[in-house]
Amino acid sequence: MSEWKTFYAHIRDKKKIYVLIHEKPDGDCLGTALGLSLFLKELGYEAAILHPAPIPSVYTFLPGQQHLKLWKDVLPAHALYVCVDCADWERTGYPMPENPYVINIDHHVSNVYYGNLNLVETSAAATGEIVYKMLKSSGIVIDPEVATCLYVALITDTGSFSYSNTTAESLKIGSELVMMGANIDTIRQNLYEKRPFAELLIVKLSLNNLFLAANGKIIAAAISYEEMRAYDLLDADTDGLISMLRAVEGVEVALLLKEFTPGQIKVSLRSKLTCDVNLLAQKFGGGGHPRAAGFVTSGKINEVRDAVIKLIENTF
Amino acid sequence: MSEWKTFYAHIRDKKKIYVLIHEKPDGDCLGTALGLSLFLKELGYEAAILHPAPIPSVYTFLPGQQHLKLWKDVLPAHALYVCVDCADWERTGYPMPENPYVINIDHHVSNVYYGNLNLVETSAAATGEIVYKMLKSSGIVIDPEVATCLYVALITDTGSFSYSNTTAESLKIGSELVMMGANIDTIRQNLYEKRPFAELLIVKLSLNNLFLAANGKIIAAAISYEEMRAYDLLDADTDGLISMLRAVEGVEVALLLKEFTPGQIKVSLRSKLTCDVNLLAQKFGGGGHPRAAGFVTSGKINEVRDAVIKLIENTF
């Protein structure tokens, strides 16, 4: 399915390729889009990653930034779009343009196969894995810049090969990308060694207000609007915090509630073994994976917390 | 160097093999010793891991526990000893027995080549890597239990493939061990998902007492004797804390001071790029690696902190 020849058959007659990413792009989305764009550029294609909102500055160290175009207009009609890591068209953040030709590359189980070509592999730990296998099957050399981008895709979605989606295949691909010149020193320094000091402060603050339920099987932390504003944090800056909460012995579900605008609460959910937090998040119009999901709702932070905890308790 | 035939030539005529580990053994030390013992047992050898003090309970999920023998007596004379992950004999915690035959398997740069056979590879990310390559070269099948032990050795010393010692080789070995049946679900659940709640409390406490110096290039946290006692933490339980401190943007050196007995301070040091904390620790009779080292000294916790910070500032 994800062979280069299938993909190539769909792009062969084109000159210009627009790559679309999802809102609040993560390392898998951006690394894959940048790696693919760099590769296509080397083959003589004109590749541009169109994005409606600025991308998180933590990823500006990645090669291929020249392909990123902050594009707020209507998307060009009759063009070729490669959507990366997007389960449906809406995730791109753009209204559908006139008569698009869509290649959909993704690994989410919730993907709705909206493309003219769908390269969807739900068993892949990252969308970067799918693109890596595709590029490798082309026989064309993957250069160190492309390898660096794809390595970032891989390690951000697998928690540096520590999450449950890690496979022998992910590790093998990681090894091959390092052999191809992925700059793991630069990656480490930028992803793991430039954490904002405010992240420590928010951890401190959250640990002062921990909430335990169901005999310690549920743990919750909450950040109010005033605190969110005071610390000016990005979404990704609280990933470490919820992982710490989930890691505690006896905890099955960890919740992090962030009031990002007054009365609007973003709820992140992580579970260990039994609780399907994707199903839970869907009840609030959100979604994700069984072990990691989230949603946005309105209400008072403590009330939202108690309502979610009650639902979780019902699943035990 | 680490070929099976070299090792086998030294054990061939023996029946009983004593494996020695170091004090306060970590995942690399224990995973390697257990993996090797299980492998030797399958070949008909009698293998026992002698250890003078109880091992951390976090590793009791590892296969091969039946080979661990809490042994407080003098070591048997004229016996074959395989020392794992020990830079010198003293690290085993035992006085040298009469006429021992010693095989020294280690990856520390500080190794003093004290064995009759020295399988020392300082380029290996973990001692587990050396033993893996050795066992693989035997051609004998590595079973899932042995693979599980060696995978733990690998990921604990590389921080799940995130530290600077990670190589394409480490990732390739990781991939092969998963193919051989390393139980990464059990490993993840035991290593990453059973963290003591007290660890969160100690993080909270330390974050309330952060000390910054040299314009944020140095960050320090301290835990007093009373706090150490109150939380009853293992050494490994504060690894996450010092990593969090080191990860902060702008920080070059992170210090964690623990008063484990009144007036006795254990200082852990981590650095990013320029400061050789191994050299620094050596000034206090300690040691380690350029990026991670430690020592024990006596004094008042704040005075020790200030003295170390002054020395670090001199290296900038």
Side-chain angles (χ1 to χ4, degrees):
Chain A
M1 261 300 276
S2 65
E3 296 248 310
W4 171 253
K5 57 186 177 191
T6 316
F7 180 77
Y8 187 67
H10 286 74
I11 66 166
R12 190 170 34 207
D13 305 328
K14 310 289 198 282
K15 172 88 188 85
K16 212 169 199 166
I17 297 172
Y18 296 110
V19 177
L20 299 181
I21 56 183
H22 57 69
E23 291 181 294
K24 295 185 182 165
D26 55 15
D28 184 23
C29 183
L30 270 169
T32 307
L34 289 164
L36 180 62
S37 302
L38 283 165
F39 189 85
L40 292 171
K41 182 73 193 305
E42 284 162 23
L43 296 186
Y45 288 93
E46 205 178 303
I49 302 169
L50 305 184
H51 53 109
I55 65 157
S57 62
V58 65
Y59 298 114
T60 52
F61 78 95
L62 281 173
Q65 301 292 317
Q66 68 276 19
H67 296 293
L68 288 163
K69 299 230 183 310
L70 188 59
W71 182 278
K72 292 183 185 286
D73 296 339
V74 171
L75 291 176
H78 312 283
L80 172 63
Y81 294 97
V82 178
C83 299
V84 169
D85 203 42
C86 296
D88 52 42
W89 178 273
E90 289 61 44
R91 289 280 283 148
T92 68
Y94 292 104
M96 180 88 74
E98 199 190 330
N99 197 23
Y101 194 86
V102 177
I103 301 179
N104 158 27
I105 312 181
D106 187 29
H107 71 131
H108 290 95
V109 281
S110 50
N111 195 287
V112 296
Y113 292 75
Y114 54 96
N116 298 83
L117 171 66
N118 299 292
L119 300 172
V120 179
E121 288 185 21
T122 56
S123 64
T127 298
E129 271 193 30
I130 305 169
V131 168
Y132 170 76
K133 286 188 283 182
M134 187 174 89
L135 301 190
K136 195 185 165 200
S137 75
S138 74
I140 301 161
V141 173
I142 293 176
D143 74 19
E145 291 203 328
V146 174
T148 297
C149 291
L150 295 179
Y151 193 81
V152 164
L154 195 54
I155 63 168
T156 49
D157 257 26
T158 58
S160 188
F161 307 109
S162 72
Y163 297 164
S164 58
N165 58 353
T166 303
T167 61
E169 178 81 0
S170 323
L171 288 159
K172 181 166 166 275
I173 292 175
S175 174
E176 290 175 4
L177 287 169
V178 176
M179 290 288 288
M180 289 164 181
N183 193 334
I184 52 175
D185 284 334
T186 300
I187 293 170
R188 190 185 64 255
Q189 286 156 28
N190 281 280
L191 288 189
Y192 304 144
E193 303 181 352
K194 285 190 179 173
R195 309 303 308 171
F197 188 73
E199 198 179 343
L200 280 192
L201 302 178
I202 212 85
V203 169
K204 180 173 92 174
L205 198 128
S206 303
L207 294 183
N208 285 332
N209 289 299
L210 279 187
F211 189 87
L212 291 162
N215 291 320
K217 285 173 80 177
I218 304 173
I219 192 166
I223 309 167
S224 70
Y225 176 64
E226 291 69 30
E227 292 161 350
M228 287 294 287
R229 241 187 20 174
Y231 293 107
D232 195 24
L233 284 172
L234 292 171
D235 235 29
D237 296 337
T238 49
D239 277 3
L241 172 57
I242 194 163
S243 296
M244 275 176 67
L245 300 181
R246 181 185 166 285
V248 172
E249 183 159 22
V251 165
E252 167 58 22
V253 188
L255 283 89
L256 179 61
L257 300 103
K258 290 180 281 186
E259 190 180 21
F260 62 98
T261 50
Q264 286 293 97
I265 319 288
K266 178 169 177 178
V267 181
S268 302
L269 296 153
R270 300 284 185 278
S271 73
K272 269 183 194 156
L273 289 172
T274 58
C275 182
D276 186 333
V277 291
N278 176 44
L279 287 181
L280 212 74
Q282 282 178 354
K283 292 187 184 168
F284 293 89
H289 307 276
R291 303 279 85 87
F295 63 90
V296 171
T297 190
S298 45
K300 285 194 172 142
I301 203 158
N302 284 359
E303 289 169 10
V304 170
R305 181 195 67 199
D306 294 342
V308 179
I309 286 178
K310 203 164 178 184
L311 279 177
I312 298 170
E313 283 177 323
N314 288 341
T315 71
F316 291 158
Chain B
M1 263 300 276
S2 64
E3 296 250 307
W4 171 254
K5 59 184 176 191
T6 314
F7 180 76
Y8 186 66
H10 286 74
I11 65 166
R12 190 170 34 209
D13 305 328
K14 310 291 197 285
K15 173 91 188 81
K16 208 168 202 167
I17 298 172
Y18 295 109
V19 177
L20 299 181
I21 58 182
H22 57 68
E23 291 182 294
K24 294 184 183 166
D26 54 15
D28 183 23
C29 183
L30 269 170
T32 307
L34 289 164
L36 181 61
S37 302
L38 284 165
F39 189 86
L40 291 172
K41 182 74 193 304
E42 285 161 22
L43 296 186
Y45 288 93
E46 204 178 304
I49 303 168
L50 305 184
H51 53 108
I55 66 157
S57 62
V58 64
Y59 297 114
T60 51
F61 78 94
L62 281 172
Q65 302 291 317
Q66 69 274 21
H67 296 294
L68 289 164
K69 301 230 181 310
L70 188 58
W71 181 278
K72 292 184 185 285
D73 297 337
V74 171
L75 292 175
H78 310 284
L80 172 63
Y81 294 96
V82 178
C83 299
V84 169
D85 205 43
C86 297
D88 51 42
W89 177 273
E90 288 61 44
R91 290 280 283 147
T92 66
Y94 291 104
M96 178 89 74
E98 200 188 330
N99 197 24
Y101 193 86
V102 177
I103 301 180
N104 157 28
I105 312 181
D106 187 32
H107 71 130
H108 290 96
V109 282
S110 52
N111 194 286
V112 296
Y113 292 75
Y114 54 96
N116 296 84
L117 170 66
N118 298 292
L119 300 174
V120 178
E121 287 184 24
T122 56
S123 64
T127 299
E129 271 194 31
I130 304 169
V131 168
Y132 171 75
K133 287 188 283 183
M134 185 173 89
L135 301 190
K136 195 185 166 200
S137 74
S138 73
I140 302 162
V141 173
I142 293 176
D143 73 20
E145 292 203 328
V146 174
T148 297
C149 292
L150 296 180
Y151 194 80
V152 164
L154 195 54
I155 63 169
T156 48
D157 256 26
T158 59
S160 188
F161 307 108
S162 72
Y163 297 164
S164 59
N165 59 353
T166 303
T167 61
E169 178 81 1
S170 322
L171 289 160
K172 182 166 165 275
I173 292 175
S175 174
E176 290 175 4
L177 288 169
V178 176
M179 290 287 289
M180 289 165 181
N183 192 332
I184 54 176
D185 285 334
T186 300
I187 292 169
R188 191 186 62 257
Q189 285 157 27
N190 281 280
L191 288 189
Y192 303 145
E193 301 180 352
K194 286 191 179 172
R195 309 302 308 170
F197 188 73
E199 198 178 345
L200 280 192
L201 301 179
I202 212 86
V203 168
K204 179 174 94 173
L205 197 128
S206 303
L207 294 182
N208 284 333
N209 289 300
L210 279 186
F211 189 87
L212 291 161
N215 292 319
K217 287 174 78 179
I218 304 173
I219 193 165
I223 309 168
S224 70
Y225 176 64
E226 291 70 30
E227 292 161 350
M228 287 293 287
R229 241 187 18 175
Y231 293 107
D232 194 25
L233 285 171
L234 292 172
D235 234 30
D237 296 337
T238 49
D239 276 3
L241 172 57
I242 194 163
S243 295
M244 277 177 67
L245 300 180
R246 180 186 166 284
V248 172
E249 183 160 22
V251 165
E252 167 58 22
V253 187
L255 281 87
L256 179 62
L257 300 103
K258 289 181 281 185
E259 190 181 19
F260 63 96
T261 50
Q264 286 291 98
I265 319 288
K266 179 170 176 175
V267 181
S268 302
L269 296 154
R270 300 284 185 278
S271 73
K272 269 183 193 154
L273 289 171
T274 58
C275 182
D276 186 333
V277 290
N278 176 43
L279 287 180
L280 212 74
Q282 283 177 354
K283 290 187 185 167
F284 292 89
H289 305 276
R291 303 279 85 87
F295 62 89
V296 172
T297 190
S298 45
K300 286 192 172 143
I301 203 158
N302 284 0
E303 288 171 10
V304 170
R305 181 194 69 199
D306 295 344
V308 178
I309 287 178
K310 203 164 178 185
L311 278 177
I312 299 170
E313 284 179 323
N314 288 341
T315 71
F316 290 158

